[in-house]
Structures are given as structure tokens and as C-alpha cells.
Amino acid sequence: MNVNFSGFNYLTIAVLIFLVCNLPQLCPAEDEIPDWDSAVADSSGQTVNWYMWGGSPAVNRYVNGYLARELKNRFNINLRQVPVKDIAEIVSKLMVEKAAGKNSGGSVDLMWINGENFRTCKRENLLFGPFADVLPNQRFVDWHNPAVENDFGTPVAGMESPWGSAQFVMIYDSARTPDPPTTIADLIRWIIKHPGRFSYPAPPDFTGSAFVRHFFYHTGAPEKWQQGYNEAELKESADSTYAILNDLKPFLWREGSTYPDSPVRLNSLFVDNEIDFSFSYHQGEATRNILDGIFPDTVRTYVFDEGTIANTHFVAIPFNAENKEGAMVVANFLLSPEAQYKKAEPDVWGDFPVVSTTRLPVEWQEKFNTRPRGVATLDDQQLQSHQLPEPPSDILVYLEKGWENQVLKSR
Amino acid sequence: MKIRHFPFVASIVFAVIIPFLPLILWSFSTRYHYPALLPQEFGIRGWMYVLDTARGQIAAGIYESFTLALVTTLISLVFGLPAGRALGLYDFPGKKLASLLLMLPVIVPPLSVTMGLHLWFIRLELVETFAGVVLIHLTFCLPYTIFVFWGVFSDYDPDFEDQARSLGASPSHVVFKIMLPMVLPGVVVAALFSFLLSWSQYLSTLIIGGGKMLTLPILLFSLMDSGDRPIAGAVCLIFILPAFLALIATTKSLGHQSLKGMH
């Protein structure tokens, strides 16, 4: 009887402990950032599940080929890519897991994000960190570069680690359009002179939205939006942006009654000779597409004289990741000169290095400066001297909503 | 008789095959630019990606999809047949309510169903498990299976079973020798429905499977909007092929059985 009673008691205590420990606010998940040596030691044998947009065969090839092989050989880490259509799906998944109190053993170890998704993750405390400053290869990154320090206006603060950089470029076929317009003002004139030969993906598509921001920058000084602007100024500039775009509507493809839904559709219209320009938020994409036979050999790229928008893309570790140490080692390896160099090769991926060349060891500096470039890719000098920062992501959202209400819906 | 049916059969074959032609052309092209009708240059870059570069992933995806679809189909048949029989043969209080409830997962957008169940599945520790993904697939497959059997049993005459029983047949004999052969075309249709639905699930697998189950649709849907048409073409064909084979295999038995049943 007595034994039974105490047995019951132990059970009650066990249940109570179990309940208490499952309340997220009382027992927060272990959030300590391991130091580098113990992270490397613990990472051996881990499988890192890396969730990322899987729409690019070139990226998939680089991740599943070179990266997976090197990580296995050097650190005994199994890299497992989980390709998704849109990483926002994974951000929602993490939000549900947070709400359900699943604070450990999560399946996402690493994700490829930036901009709006990073802002959401940071606001909802979905990230593990700050871990970026623990990674030794951070020394190759210029953290004073505004495009690295802030991710679309959100301070990175070590909550994500940079992977690559991207810059918006215009794409044209030199055989069809030998003399492309090199300023926004010229582009507007060109569109009016060639009705039906231009279009852009409808925001909130990532690339279409970036295109609209160039017109927004055209209405005033781009630097102004980094800080200290007021509502009225924003509204005024936004309204004149919509006015320009509305005036252009009758001269767009299908008279602006419809827009392509993605840069992919835009590229298709471009190669199918429906329109004369495409554009990409990836300076090496045109070359890549020429190599794959998707674009004709005569396709080239250029940046506007006033510059084009550039940003950095990052990797982050979710709060409940099971293999945080492995994820840190992967994030660090992504920043190594060899991985960054391989990624930049035009026939691999052609993504631009996020490491700053001057910070690299001398032998790597030489290699990076003389690395092969594709036929349609501009050189670093041309690109870097024409970079504009992204505006904060609330301006971005403001413009996307405004475009929908005032450009798309005004028929 | 064969001659008389020829134009009819030919038009069906034509309508089924023609949509695949562009896919096949794209998948075997390396250069296919406007305005050419046929690819300017043929090649196997698309197939090399699918069968070589991403071979491991895709083979594992096919295996994962196939086992999931198979298990889901078997379970939905086991539960769908008795349920459909009850709905088709008997009147009982609450029948309308039952049919409404069964319809719900089909009417409500799959995303809401999945998101809602996700929270529960986390609590029940079913997320990221094979069983969890089978369960979420069943949410979509089972209603269809039940509705197919409902239809089948509405035209079913249970008197045959009584006759067999009066001649001394055991219950299992009645089920396997009388009922199943009579409803076999229905079983085939229901199995096909269920298999194809499970085979093509993307979002529910992604959310509940949490990336642990890398099924074919998860691998392929992310590639579809790559803009790389040769790869997308090859990938589509890989995706369609098993479903196409299942369809051909079942139409054979379907046609055969329904002819028998017509007399």
C-alpha cells in the first residue's frame, strides 16, 4: 500500500516535471552559442538539413556536388539539401513549431534567406544566434559594407551569415537591340517608342518588385531612404512612381493588361521574342543561361548609369535546429575562399563572392581578381561602381502594396 | 469491329499523346529558340541532370513517393470500401451529416486543412514521420475512395450475397468470391484515384513531412519554375511516367472487367 502510494507520487512528480519542461516560457531551449572548437568537434557525423529555394539546377548542382563532397571529406558532415519552392513556406512552418512549443529537434538546420523572410524570423525570434561572429571565416567579410551590415534595412547582428551577393542587371539581345537605353529616363523613352516590347514581373514577385524600386529611386535620391525620411516624403515619391508606371502601361506588353508572374516567365517572353528586355537580380544569370543554351549567344547585360540595386543573401539557423554545430561549420565553409571561388565560376553558378577580395590571403586575391567571367557578365569594377543599397523592407512592402492598388488595379 | 472503332481510338490516343510531344522535344533539346518549330540542337543535358547529377535524390524521391502512395492507397481501400458500402446500401440517421463531414477535406482548401492539422500533429509527435505523412495524405485520398465506393455500391445488388449464403458460403467466401469480383472495377478506380492523389501531393508532404520525406513532387516542383525548360521537361516526364504506367495497367483490367459486368 505504502509502496504503491509512493510509486503514484513519483509518477505525479514525473508528470509534473514533464509538463513544466514542456512549457516553453519556463524551460527555454538551450540557447548557448558553442565556441568554434567545440562546434567543429560536435559537428562530426552530423547530417545538416539545408532548406533552400531549389529552382536553380546550377545551385543544386553546386550544393549537392561540390559542397556536399567537401563537407563530407573535410568535416565528416553529411549535407542534405531540401529544395523548396519558396522559403517563406519554411518560415511559416517554424512559426507553427514555435507556437506549438517545439523548441528542439527541429528538422531545419540551415536555411537560405534574406530580406523580408529574415525580418519575419528576427521579429518572431525564430533564429538561433548570434552565431556569425563565432565563425573564423568572418574575417574575410567586410562588415562595414552597408549591404552586409543590414539586410534590407534590418540589422544582421550576427543572426545570419553571408553567402553571396547579387546585383540587378538589365538583359538584352545585342543582335536585336544593339543600343540599349542606359538610364531610367532613356528606358522610359524607349518603351514609349516601342509599344508592346517591354514588361516586368508583377510585384510582389522579387525581381518585379526590385524593378519598381529602380523607378522609385528615379524620383529622388536613393540614399535618402536609408534613414530619416518621413511618411509624406515616402508617399510623394511613391505616388510619382505609380504615375510614371501608369503612364507607361499602354506601351507595355499586352498594353499592361497583364504582367508575367515571375522572372522565369519574363525570360521566356524575352527568348520567345515577345519582348526585348529581361532583367535579373543575379549578375551572372545571363551567362549561365547562354551556357545552358537557354539564351542565344548574343545576349548581354548592363547596369544603369545611375546604378542598380544590390543585396546580400545569407544563411541562418532556426531556434530549434537539431544540428546547430554542423550548421555553423557549413556556414563557415561557405565563406572559405575555395568555396566562394568555386561558386563564382561561370560554369558552376556564377554567383558573386561575398568575401571582400582585399581581406583574402594574397594568393587568393590574385585568383579572384583574374577569375574567368562569362561573356555576358560585367566585370567587378563596372558592377561595384554602380551599386545602390536596398531600401528598408517596410518601404519595399509599402511599394508592393501601392503598386497593386494604384497600378495593377487602375484600369 | 476493330475497324469501326479505329477513328475513335485514334483520336483518344492522339489527345493523350500530343500534350507530351512538346515535353519530349524540350527534354531532348539543348537549343530551342523562337521562332523555330523544332529544336535547333538536340542533346541530353536535361536528362543528364535528372539521371546523373541529381540521380541519387530523384531515385530516393521515386522510392519515397511510391511507398507513400502504395501504403496510402491500401489503407484508403481498407477503410473506404466498408464505408462506401454502408453509405451506398443502407439508410441510417445522420447519413447526410456523415457525407458532409466526409466532403469537408475536399471542400476546404488543402492548405488550411494541413496547417490546422500541423499543430495537432506536432503535439501528437506525428510530424516528420512516415505515419504522419500517410495520415495527411489519407485526409485527401479517403474521401475520394469513399465516394467512388458509394457510387459503386449504389448499383450493387446484395441479393447475390444472400444467394451465396443460402447455398452455404462462409462470410469470407462471400466477401472474396462474390462481393470483391463484382466491385473490382470500382476498387481499381478508387485505387488509381488514391494513388495519383498521394503521388501528386506537394504542400501537405512538405509541411507534415518537414523535409524528412523528400518525395518526387517536392524535388520536382521546386525545379519546375527554374525556367530551364529542358530540365523541367525531363523532370515532368519522370513525374508522369509512373502515373501513366499505372493508368495503362489499370485500364486493361478495368476495360476487361466492365465488359464482363455489362452482360
Side-chain angles (χ1 to χ4, degrees), chain A residues 51-69:
Chain A
Y51 286 58
M52 63 162 77
W53 175 71
S56 161
V59 180
N60 294 351
R61 212 178 288 140
Y62 171 68
V63 170
N64 292 317
Y66 173 79
L67 285 180
R69 203 168 49 237

Side-chain angles (χ1 to χ4, degrees), chain A residues 56-58 61 288-295 347, chain B residues 25-33 41-54 223 226-235:
Chain A
S56 161
R61 212 178 288 140
R288 175 83 255 139
N289 281 340
I290 292 175
L291 290 175
D292 283 346
I294 295 168
F295 281 177
D347 53 345
Chain B
L25 281 179
W26 268 115
S27 75
F28 284 106
S29 72
T30 40
R31 223 156 248 282
Y32 195 176
H33 295 305
E41 217 177 89
F42 287 93
I44 51 164
R45 190 179 61 85
W47 287 104
M48 281 303 281
Y49 180 79
V50 173
L51 300 177
D52 188 47
T53 316
L223 271 176
S226 64
D228 195 326
R229 289 175 184 165
I231 290 184
V235 147

